[in-house]
Amino acid sequence: MKKTATKKKILSVAVFCSGQGTNLQAILDACRRGKISARVVVVIVDNASALAISRAQKAGVPVVFVDPAQCPSRAQYGKVLAAATARFKPDLIALAGFMRILSPSFVRRYKGKIINIHPALLPAFPGAHAVRDALAAGVKTTGVTVHFVDEQVDHGPVIAQRPIPVKRSDTEETLLRRLHRAEHQLYPEVIQQIARTGSNKRVRSK
Ligand code: GRF
């Protein structure tokens, strides 16, 4: 019987960022090293001075700045964002420090295709101060979560979590450093799982 060659699918990923872009960098590095069957097709930012822009440019990835100042409402911003995203036909949208709440219609349009990374073990400590909040609560363990995005903030089916012990001596800075290291491993792993299986099964925590 004649063998038919199966072409390896490369997942097209749009990454949305607002700031440093260290998670973007981890994804770009994993793609470049062939560790994940994915390609970043566009980086979309809502902040013209995001460091993520130069990281994308260095990797030769197109950057689109969707300016919130041009959009009077979240719904309007969502429309412009959707149009910008659609041009690149991504299989997956990875939010990586994108500090903006997506409009319900954007989330519906890309339902099941948007993932987010958060520096806590959701549902604990949602919001912009997850690390500070975990320290203030005195928890012994926090961690990172990758989840599918639904219409609520830092909410939706969990894909993977990685726990990180909190040390008595931890400050926001030292804890954040360890959480970031975990994020930079976990996010590419989840993207690879989605590339491989196309599924939202849990990624086993190490
Ligand atoms: C990460 O800690 C992520 O969990 C949160 O925003 C931060 C983004 O960091 N959603 P960076 O821009 O990837 O460095």
Side-chain angles (χ1 to χ4, degrees):
M1 218 203 305
K2 215 173 151 191
K3 265 195 184 166
T4 44
T6 46
K7 215 170 155 200
K8 202 170 154 199
K9 163 102 172 113
I10 302 288
L11 195 78
S12 295
V13 186
V15 184
F16 289 12
C17 302
S18 300
Q20 296 289 312
T22 64
N23 279 284
L24 165 67
Q25 191 65 57
I27 296 166
L28 289 170
D29 291 346
C31 293
R32 183 172 45 83
R33 294 181 185 134
K35 291 197 165 169
I36 61 177
S37 313
R39 190 164 74 95
V40 179
V41 289
V42 65
V43 171
I44 295 186
V45 296
D46 66 342
N47 166 13
S49 51
L51 196 62
I53 295 174
S54 57
R55 294 181 191 274
Q57 286 168 340
K58 264 190 205 137
V61 173
V63 177
V64 178
F65 169 46
V66 181
D67 188 355
Q70 301 299 318
C71 301
S73 66
R74 184 176 299 158
Q76 183 58 32
Y77 192 81
K79 269 190 195 161
V80 180
L81 197 58
T85 306
R87 278 174 44 213
F88 294 88
K89 299 187 172 53
D91 302 309
L92 183 73
I93 296 169
L95 308 184
F98 190 62
M99 302 306 287
R100 192 159 291 280
I101 299 171
L102 297 170
S103 68
S105 71
F106 185 95
V107 174
R108 277 198 299 274
R109 173 164 179 175
Y110 286 103
K111 191 169 189 311
K113 289 187 167 186
I114 314 172
I115 60 175
N116 181 42
I117 188 154
H118 183 77
L121 296 175
L122 291 172
F125 312 118
H129 305 292
V131 182
R132 192 184 309 166
D133 293 347
L135 279 175
V139 292
K140 297 231 164 16
T141 304
T142 183
V144 302
T145 301
V146 179
H147 64 97
F148 280 96
V149 169
D150 66 14
E151 291 174 30
Q152 296 174 55
V153 177
D154 295 331
H155 191 269
V158 169
I159 307 169
Q161 290 187 309
R162 192 145 295 167
I164 298 289
V166 180
K167 297 178 184 166
R168 286 171 79 107
S169 58
D170 263 331
T171 60
E172 214 176 313
E173 198 189 331
T174 58
L175 181 54
L176 184 62
R177 208 176 300 142
R178 291 206 304 293
L179 289 165
H180 260 149
R181 273 205 293 273
E183 289 188 340
H184 299 161
Q185 285 183 357
L186 190 62
Y187 220 5
E189 280 176 28
V190 168
I191 292 172
Q192 174 58 5
Q193 167 169 307
I194 294 171
R196 221 181 44 232
T197 65
S199 91
N200 64 353
K201 276 187 228 126
R202 286 179 72 92
V203 170
R204 209 154 20 97
S205 250
K206 278 183 188 150

